Amino acid sequence: MQALTHFDAQGQAHMVDVAAKAATHRIAVASGRIEMLPATLELIESGNAKKGDVLGIARIAGIQGAKRTSDLIPLCHPIALTRVAMEFATVQASASQAAHVWCSATAETVGPTGVEMEALTAVQVALLTIYDMCKAADRGMTMTDVKLMEKHGGKSGSFVAG
């Protein structure tokens, strides 16, 4: 296991110095889901949610979340994102799973540090937005399974979740 990079030799938290790292094309994909009552999912799919187009607003919120990651996570570098893409899918309840909205975020940059945190933040903010827009109908919604699915670029190479 590698040492944690956000601590110096004295154990003090610090921002990692990326000045000597090569600028490469970096991509990260994260995903997660929000489980809800079947009736709540129907509201989202019908477009009749009281606050409007739930997935449209969640898409914009996710993109904004990715752009603001360094404002939220103290030791993240502010980076110039070249692309943030959000995807959503609605999944009806079945015997094996709850009704839910699945969300995926892809973040890209060309630079000396990765975009994993931006992709993860985009997913979390999008799911939180869905919760906010639907909480009047269903306060029991649960956000779950948020994780990094893959990342490419940089010295450490590629990672794909198993």
Side-chain angles (χ1 to χ4, degrees):
M1 179 172 266
Q2 289 187 317
L4 299 177
T5 58
H6 286 86
F7 296 95
D8 64 18
Q10 291 75 41
Q12 301 296 313
H14 72 103
M15 183 181 249
V16 175
D17 183 358
V18 297
K21 292 173 76 177
T24 62
H25 182 215
R26 297 163 185 264
I27 303 170
V29 180
S31 69
R33 64 190 186 139
I34 184 167
E35 296 177 351
M36 60 194 62
L37 296 171
T40 307
L41 186 63
E42 288 176 25
L43 275 174
I44 292 170
E45 291 177 324
S46 70
N48 291 329
K50 197 171 192 174
K51 293 185 179 182
D53 176 10
V54 173
L55 299 182
I57 299 301
R59 179 180 319 280
I60 299 302
I63 293 167
Q64 187 66 24
K67 291 167 55 175
R68 300 293 303 265
T69 299
S70 67
D71 292 336
L72 301 169
I73 311 298
L75 300 177
C76 276
H77 293 83
I79 61 174
L81 293 167
T82 57
R83 181 172 90 99
V84 177
M86 305 295 301
E87 294 181 40
F88 297 92
T90 57
V91 180
Q92 297 297 327
S94 69
S96 63
Q97 63 185 358
H100 65 273
V101 175
W102 172 86
C103 174
S104 173
T106 301
E108 295 187 44
T109 192
V110 175
T113 190
V115 287
E116 297 97 309
M117 294 305 298
E118 286 72 14
L120 287 161
T121 301
V123 168
Q124 291 282 29
V125 170
L127 296 177
L128 285 166
T129 299
I130 293 169
Y131 186 94
D132 179 54
M133 294 187 73
C134 298
K135 69 182 181 242
D138 184 359
R139 292 200 188 270
M141 291 176 283
T142 303
M143 291 162 270
T144 186
D145 298 330
V146 176
K147 61 185 174 182
L148 180 68
M149 299 304 297
E150 60 186 273
K151 74 88 149 172
H152 305 282
K155 184 175 138 184
S156 65
S158 293
F159 163 83
V160 178

